[in-house]
Amino acid sequence: MTIACKNDQKKGETAEVVTNEKKPNIVVIYLDDLGYGDVGAYGATELKTPHMDALAAGGIRFTNGYASSATCTPSRFALLTGIYPWRNKNARILPGTAPLLIDTAQYTLPKMLKEHGYHTGIVGKWHLGLGTGHVNWNEAIKPGPNEVGFDESYILAATQDRVPTVYIENDKVDGLDPNDPIKVDYHKNFEGEPTGKDNPEMLTMKWHHGHNNSIVNGIPRIGFMKGGETAKWSDIDMADHFLAKAQEYVRSHKNEPFFLYYALQQPHVPRTPHPRFVGSSGMGPRGDVIVEADWCIGEFIKTLEEEGILENTLIVFSSDNGPVLNDGYYDDAVEKLGDHDPNGPLRGGKYSMYEAGTRVPFITYWKGKITPGVSDAVVCQMDLLSSLAALNGDDQEYGDSRNLLGALLGNADKGRDELMLEASSKTALRKGDWILIPPYKGVFKYDHVNIEIGSMPTFQLYNLKEDPGQQKNLAEENPEKLREMIADYTRIRGK
Ligand code: NG6
Ligand code: CA
């Protein structure tokens, strides 16, 4: 990986000695709400994901790979900063108007890679806030991704179901007509603007819970928005649009080491497959957008191949949190599920302290470098910062991020000893095969999404090796293990 320059002994002549190994490009392919059981390589049989499966077959498939949180914003915060999201009280699902969550002075994964000579880019979902609290969407929108380490950014600000429903290129709304300024408000509507609640006749997709504010493309959203007609995205074209931007990024930076964070929006709601994918899964829009995402990944990898850089690119594939079926719209996700189980063998789902909340598909792939295999090492997305620093010769560990480079490249069996997982502002500790969920107030199950969050008045202790579905609470049966886990939990959380 070293590029050495050496002065030739002959007078006046300089020879450049470049070793065969070049710094690898790094691509993080990140899905939104893709479950542990949603991928063929992780056991899905009803849903076909050939391109994700090919990554798994040619790389390391982690059976204990984790997001840091069971929701989006906190997971993405940890991925980029290497810091546990529960250390930051604002690291929770953000509205589209939230200020930038990451301090611009914070060391981040893209900043680290920049220091090591990488060009850095993000394409896709951001959801980490923008600006300082009073964003004027018609001017420069700062600080944002470009202020925390990305040289280039092309993003959707929050989520596909939240306003503003426009793309932002670096700090500008893409395609904005200055004569039709955008206004956004999360508290009150703009006079005369229709809403999902009051104008059901205008809707092409019906809301189930929440999601009844401004209507864009027939879909009711969270939050109110006015103006910006020419800048509004087309939901059915979003996957193609982000794919084209990701491909464009690769083509323009193929001659230098680059880091691309390609954050796809699927299968988060609203699920809006392009017409050529409608019906492709037989499971309704949720399955169809997973097939669409899989196709995008295949096309993206084809681009790396065509540009001759696949062998020099380390790909990390994962998801920001676990699966949910009904997340606020009537879209047949429940009705057409059939025999598919997005959780695989795990309990819970998005928002949950149980395993399906945070344990997600997690694959590393580096053609010709990584020997394909399956790893049971506990690894977390938060560890990418220190691990990729190590790949660049920096053995420091940053924040809560551990150097697991050996495990990630398939050279070591060992991952983390312990990992604190976050879900809806609550935490659970994984240590070895054990997981501890402390007592929490609040509902055990979120009825609107039909997911067990896991709050109980007593301690829960599970052995994940013997009981991956977390059915048998061993807290009473194994007081010694319980005491040990409580001590570790208290040491880490400091209370
Ligand atoms: C919830 C939304 C849900 C989804 C989630 C964020 C309601 C009722 N539910 O508040 O639909 O948008 O936030 O998902 O509004 S995440 O993957 O970005 O964390
Ligand atoms: Ca998500």
Side-chain angles (χ1 to χ4, degrees):
M1 220 165 57
T2 38
I3 299 172
C5 281
K6 178 173 105 186
N7 285 326
D8 197 285
Q9 296 308 314
K10 277 185 230 148
K11 247 196 292 172
E13 274 181 18
T14 306
E16 201 179 49
V17 181
V18 180
T19 61
N20 290 338
E21 282 183 294
K22 283 198 287 172
K23 252 182 214 294
N25 307 306
I26 295 166
V27 178
V28 173
I29 300 178
Y30 209 51
L31 274 85
D32 193 358
D33 297 3
L34 186 76
Y36 191 84
D38 277 324
V39 177
Y42 281 84
T45 51
E46 305 303 300
L47 194 57
K48 305 291 176 221
T49 56
H51 300 290
M52 300 180 198
D53 300 350
L55 288 178
I60 309 288
R61 179 174 71 84
F62 290 90
T63 61
N64 285 297
Y66 286 89
S68 304
S69 167
T71 58
C72 170
T73 301
S75 280
R76 287 164 203 255
F77 173 81
L79 168 73
L80 294 184
T81 62
I83 291 175
Y84 274 130
W86 45 266
R87 295 196 195 280
N88 184 329
K89 66 177 186 352
N90 297 322
R92 51 180 72 190
I93 299 171
L94 295 176
T97 45
L100 179 64
L101 177 65
I102 301 173
D103 193 314
T104 52
Q106 174 66 44
Y107 200 56
T108 63
L109 176 59
K111 281 186 188 173
M112 180 276 290
L113 291 170
K114 258 169 84 126
E115 276 181 13
H116 290 286
Y118 282 75
H119 190 279
T120 58
I122 169 175
V123 171
K125 176 173 175 176
W126 176 241
H127 209 188
L128 287 166
L130 292 167
T132 52
H134 304 281
V135 170
N136 180 340
W137 301 91
N138 310 287
E139 293 175 355
I141 302 161
K142 282 187 195 185
N146 298 47
E147 283 66 40
V148 299
F150 289 102
D151 292 315
E152 273 178 35
S153 62
Y154 194 93
I155 59 166
L156 77 82
T159 58
Q160 203 187 331
D161 55 356
R162 284 175 173 75
V163 298
T165 52
V166 294
Y167 299 117
I168 300 169
E169 180 161 28
N170 296 315
D171 55 7
K172 298 271 182 354
V173 170
D174 189 13
L176 183 65
D177 173 359
N179 298 316
D180 181 23
I182 296 182
K183 291 192 185 109
V184 177
D185 196 312
Y186 269 71
H187 300 292
K188 62 175 200 326
N189 193 15
F190 299 96
E191 217 180 305
E193 293 295 305
T195 65
K197 196 164 176 212
D198 296 334
N199 303 86
E201 74 287 353
M202 291 176 66
L203 303 180
T204 53
M205 196 187 282
K206 306 259 178 266
W207 56 278
H208 175 273
H209 56 272
H211 306 94
N212 57 18
N213 302 153
S214 288
I215 304 168
V216 182
N217 306 334
I219 302 169
R221 316 277 167 157
I222 305 172
F224 303 99
M225 171 181 176
K226 187 183 160 76
E229 276 314 314
T230 55
K232 283 180 183 170
W233 67 50
S234 158
D235 291 276
I236 56 171
D237 293 317
M238 185 177 284
D240 287 338
H241 193 67
F242 282 145
L243 170 63
K245 294 287 172 191
Q247 290 170 318
E248 211 176 289
Y249 180 85
V250 165
R251 290 189 188 114
S252 5
H253 298 287
K254 63 181 178 194
N255 294 325
E256 58 189 322
F258 66 79
F259 165 58
L260 174 63
Y261 173 29
Y262 177 23
L264 288 78
Q265 87 284 7
Q266 304 105 321
H268 195 281
V269 296
R271 295 155 184 147
T272 54
H274 187 275
R276 66 186 193 281
F277 290 100
V278 171
S280 59
S281 69
M283 273 175 215
R286 183 174 187 278
D288 294 349
V289 298
I290 294 175
V291 172
E292 180 189 63
D294 186 72
W295 175 84
C296 290
I297 292 166
E299 290 301 297
F300 178 77
I301 288 164
K302 214 188 278 173
T303 303
L304 294 174
E305 222 162 11
E306 282 164 8
E307 299 301 336
I309 53 174
L310 185 61
E311 278 86 352
N312 196 41
T313 302
L314 168 61
I315 298 172
V316 181
F317 168 87
S318 201
S319 169
D320 68 340
N321 53 252
V324 55
L325 293 173
N326 179 342
D327 207 13
Y329 296 97
Y330 287 97
D331 65 0
D332 281 344
V334 176
E335 293 78 359
K336 293 197 173 158
L337 188 64
D339 292 332
H340 178 61
D341 189 350
N343 283 12
L346 309 178
R347 185 174 185 176
K350 181 174 179 176
Y351 309 107
S352 174
M353 284 184 280
Y354 291 125
E355 287 292 285
T358 47
R359 210 198 299 178
V360 286
F362 195 128
I363 298 164
T364 53
Y365 176 95
W366 186 355
K367 195 176 176 191
K369 274 282 160 40
I370 286 181
T371 309
V374 177
S375 171
D376 297 330
V378 173
V379 296
C380 177
Q381 294 158 9
M382 190 171 67
D383 300 320
L384 288 177
L385 171 57
S386 296
S387 306
L388 297 175
L391 181 68
N392 281 280
D394 171 6
D395 288 332
Q396 264 188 83
E397 290 193 318
Y398 294 94
D400 299 304
S401 179
R402 301 282 79 90
N403 173 4
L404 303 181
L405 186 62
L408 292 174
L409 297 183
N411 300 327
D413 296 334
K414 208 172 140 34
R416 276 183 163 262
D417 292 327
E418 54 191 24
L419 176 63
M420 190 68 84
L421 298 160
E422 190 266 355
S424 308
S425 303
K426 298 166 181 175
T427 45
L429 175 67
R430 165 126 197 208
K431 187 166 189 186
D433 292 329
W434 295 87
I435 192 134
L436 175 78
I437 303 178
Y440 275 111
K441 292 203 185 83
V443 294
F444 173 72
K445 185 175 170 190
Y446 281 179
D447 285 327
H448 51 294
V449 290
N450 193 26
I451 288 173
E452 292 172 337
I453 299 315
S455 310
M456 299 244 283
T458 53
F459 281 102
Q460 296 175 71
L461 179 70
Y462 300 97
N463 184 311
L464 294 173
K465 193 159 199 177
E466 286 158 15
D467 176 25
Q470 295 176 289
Q471 294 300 312
K472 198 166 184 312
N473 181 0
L474 300 173
E476 273 183 33
E477 211 170 283
N478 201 336
E480 215 168 295
K481 193 72 196 173
L482 179 65
R483 260 197 306 277
E484 188 191 312
M485 291 290 285
I486 292 174
D488 287 321
Y489 181 94
T490 312
R491 168 177 52 78
I492 300 168
R493 288 240 40 190
K495 58 177 177 179

